[in-house]
């Protein structure tokens, strides 16, 4: 048996599997091919999403590189859900759910087919953590090749991205944008293939996974349509062969210190709050216990140093031009903020990978600041506790929003109610907007609240209104926002008992979130509460609601 075929049960010498051999001969494999290691290439490509529309082409290039390295490359597909298309609709309830379907699909195909290794080709937000959860369960040599970032759109001299179209809605509602300009922004926000261009969830997770060591250097910043991305695909076959030859598996790479590296890069770059629940879920899949408090610990020691959208000015393509994530990693490593000994899919350590990377030049680029002059001296992601979040919540505080907010609650059971509230003038300056019953079980599916936050900002209320929710936020969200409030409203979390005009106090300095009512009043409201029925009775969302854990545990679906 070929040394690289050590995992596979489907080999020519195994006479108990003649049907399997017959079928593999039927797809065109030769007797020599059956002695080679088989590598599954899991593409999340499909036509209906700019983030994913090019992935099948990348998968074809990866497949060729696998065959060029004397291995068998076999492409299969799994699903994707477009967050950009589904945001603001009931379809967004399926977004987070898709992460686990992707992981389940990769696990099912690779185990059923006995693939020796897997390379995943993800694009939109949940594709990346879905890939890593699947890889962790399999624990076979694995590499993620990120589909890459989209180029900026342009309209009337303005650089655009997907968030531009959401914020344009708020501007239109506020009467600040003509119908023609609104349409012009929408039509030009996404000029072609690639994931959303800022440090939103897709680029956040790609950066975190690169820092973790599970993708090749520059994978997260190589643009979708670029020679660099093609070269990365061409290098994937050689890289997966090296992992097979040396029996390097995800468990060798996805260590606790590697996760700390991933969290550090998320903090340094100002990444999405979604990273918190995804990293917790990825760690669980590989057998590690990471909590929100671990995220806070890393946040406390990591300055926020990137002027990237949504809170800043620049896009991932701009970061790529000055050295990409490797340049940032090299700087953080030199400053003692990364664990350089962690192994990566190159077969080398982080420190060894960084040896040939050019240094950042702080005099020639404005995107990454030195640690001595950070955007914020500690991380922007803060974990808040209090009587509104007894098991925690996740706040995105870049410093531009302030660190303290107190105001009367304006309560909405779902985001559609809020949009109506903005249009009617019910939401006023100084309010704390509360959107509830949109958690993992309550929605079900824990949709992102991008449309509400963008509408608030577009309506000119972004600096004078806070928003809290048991749902999630898009990586494109900015403003004074707190999500992942746990326990969620559906399970009797205290967010279920907030009433209009209750005073809400959010203090990011003390890391607290409370409604200022007496314990007796809160107990009285609880006593009169009845848990609502699930909003679905059958199908995928029903199964998800029955299985999913809280956001504090990463919304995993295969735990106790």
């Amino acid at each position: 048996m070929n040394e690289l075929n050590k995992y596979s049960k489907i080999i020519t010498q195994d006479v108990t599997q003649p049907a399997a051999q017959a079928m593999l001969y039927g797809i065109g494999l030769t007797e020599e091919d059956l002695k080679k290691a088989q590598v599954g290439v899991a593409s999340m490509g499909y036509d209906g999403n700019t983030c994913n529309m090019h992935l099948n082409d990348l998968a074809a290039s990866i497949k060729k590189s696998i065959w060029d390295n004397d291995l068998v490359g076999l492409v299969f597909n799994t699903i994707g859900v477009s967050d950009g298309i589904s945001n603001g609709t009931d379809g967004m309830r399926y977004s987070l759910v898709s992460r686990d379907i992707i992981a389940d699909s990769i696990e099912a195909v690779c185990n059923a087919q006995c693939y020796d290794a897997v390379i995943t080709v993800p694009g939109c937000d949940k594709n990346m953590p879905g890939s890593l959860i699947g890889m962790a369960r399999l624990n076979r040599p694995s590499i993620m090749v990120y589909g890459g970032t989209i180029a900026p759109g342009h309209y009337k001299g303005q650089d655009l991205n997907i968030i531009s179209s959401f914020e344009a809605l708020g501007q239109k509602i506020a009467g600040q944008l003509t119908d023609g300009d609104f349409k012009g922004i929408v039509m030009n926000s996404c000029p072609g293939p690639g994931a959303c261009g800022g440090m939103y969830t897709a680029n956040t997770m790609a950066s975190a996974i690169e820092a973790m060591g599970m993708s090749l250097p520059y994978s997260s910043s190589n643009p979708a349509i670029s020679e660099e991305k093609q070269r990365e695909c061409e290098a994937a076959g050689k890289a997966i062969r090296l992992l097979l030859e040396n029996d390097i598996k995800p468990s060798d790479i996805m260590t606790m210190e590697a996760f700390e590296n991933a969290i550090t890069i998320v903090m340094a770059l100002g990444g999405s709050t979604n990273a918190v629940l995804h990293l917790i879920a990825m760690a669980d899949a590989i057998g590690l216990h990471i909590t929100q408090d671990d995220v806070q610990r890393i946040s406390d020691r990591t300055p926020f140093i990137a002027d990237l959208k949504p809170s800043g000015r620049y896009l991932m393509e701009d970061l790529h031009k000055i050295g990409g994530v490797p340049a940032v990693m090299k700087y953080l490593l030199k400053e003692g903020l990364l664990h350089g000994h962690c192994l990566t899919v190159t077969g080398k350590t982080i420190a060894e990978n960084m040896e040939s990377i050019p240094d950042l030049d702080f005099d020639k680029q404005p995107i990454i600041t030195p640690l001595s002059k950070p955007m914020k001296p500690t991380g922007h992601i803060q974990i808040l506790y209090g009587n509104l979040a007894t098991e925690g919540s996740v706040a995105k505080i870049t410093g531009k929003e302030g660190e303290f907010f107190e105001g009367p609650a304006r309560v909405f059971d779902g985001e559609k109610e809020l949009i109506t509230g903005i249009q009617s003038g019910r939401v006023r300056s100084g309010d704390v907007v509360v959107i509830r019953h949109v958690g993992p079980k309550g929605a079900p599916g824990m949709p992102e609240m991008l449309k509400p936050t963008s509408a608030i900002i577009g309506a000119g209320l972004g600096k004078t209104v806070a928003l809290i929710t048991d749902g999630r936020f898009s990586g494109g969200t900015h403003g004074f926002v707190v999500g992942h409030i746990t326990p969620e409203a559906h399970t009797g979390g205290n967010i279920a008992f907030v009433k209009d005009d209750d005073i809400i106090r959010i203090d990011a300095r003390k890391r607290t979130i409370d409604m200022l009512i007496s314990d007796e009043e809160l107990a009285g409201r609880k006593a009169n509460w009845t848990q609502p029925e699930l909003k679905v009775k059958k199908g995928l969302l029903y199964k998800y609601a029955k299985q999913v854990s809280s956001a504090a545990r990463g919304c995993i679906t295969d735990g106790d």
Side-chain angles (χ1 to χ4, degrees), residues 382-455:
Q382 299 290 307
I383 308 302
L384 311 184
Y385 291 90
N387 69 6
L388 268 177
T390 57
E391 295 177 13
S393 61
V394 181
K396 188 175 187 179
I397 309 293
T398 66
K400 295 182 179 181
E401 311 85 358
E403 295 183 302
F404 181 88
F405 199 105
E406 184 175 306
R410 205 62 58 217
V411 182
F412 302 91
D413 289 333
E415 61 180 305
K416 293 178 183 177
E417 283 190 15
L418 173 60
I419 298 301
T420 302
I422 294 171
Q423 292 171 328
S424 67
R426 186 179 163 208
V427 177
R428 300 183 295 271
S429 177
D431 284 348
V432 177
V433 172
V434 180
I435 306 179
R436 64 190 180 191
H437 294 292
V438 289
K441 294 181 182 293
M446 202 181 183
E448 292 178 348
M449 298 294 108
L450 176 58
K451 187 174 182 179
T453 54
S454 298

Side-chain angles (χ1 to χ4, degrees), residues 83 87 92 95-97 99 124-126 128-130 133 199-206 208 263 266-267 270-282 292 295 380-381 383 394-396 445-450 469-477 481 483-484 551 553-555:
D83 286 11
N87 243 308
M92 188 63 199
S95 170
L96 183 58
V97 178
R99 180 193 76 181
C124 199
D125 294 10
K126 310 310 169 292
M128 280 69 73
I133 292 168
M199 192 46 61
Y200 311 145
T201 304
N203 283 329
T204 296
M205 294 313 302
I263 297 169
V266 170
M267 297 304 168
S272 167
T273 52
N274 283 311
V276 178
L277 62 86
H278 292 324
L279 288 164
I280 290 171
M282 289 156 54
Q292 293 174 330
V295 174
H380 61 298
I381 293 179
I383 308 302
V394 181
K396 188 175 187 179
M446 202 181 183
E448 292 178 348
M449 298 294 108
L450 176 58
T469 181
D470 54 5
R472 298 182 295 122
F473 293 112
S474 163
T477 294
V481 297
H484 305 204
R553 292 189 58 206
C555 293

Side-chain angles (χ1 to χ4, degrees), residues 29-30 33 77 146 171 229 239 268 352 375 448 450 462 485 535:
L29 299 190
T30 67
D33 291 334
N77 285 81
Y146 176 46
Q171 292 173 308
K229 184 57 67 178
E352 290 169 335
M375 311 294 290
E448 292 178 348
L450 176 58
I485 287 178
K535 294 176 183 176

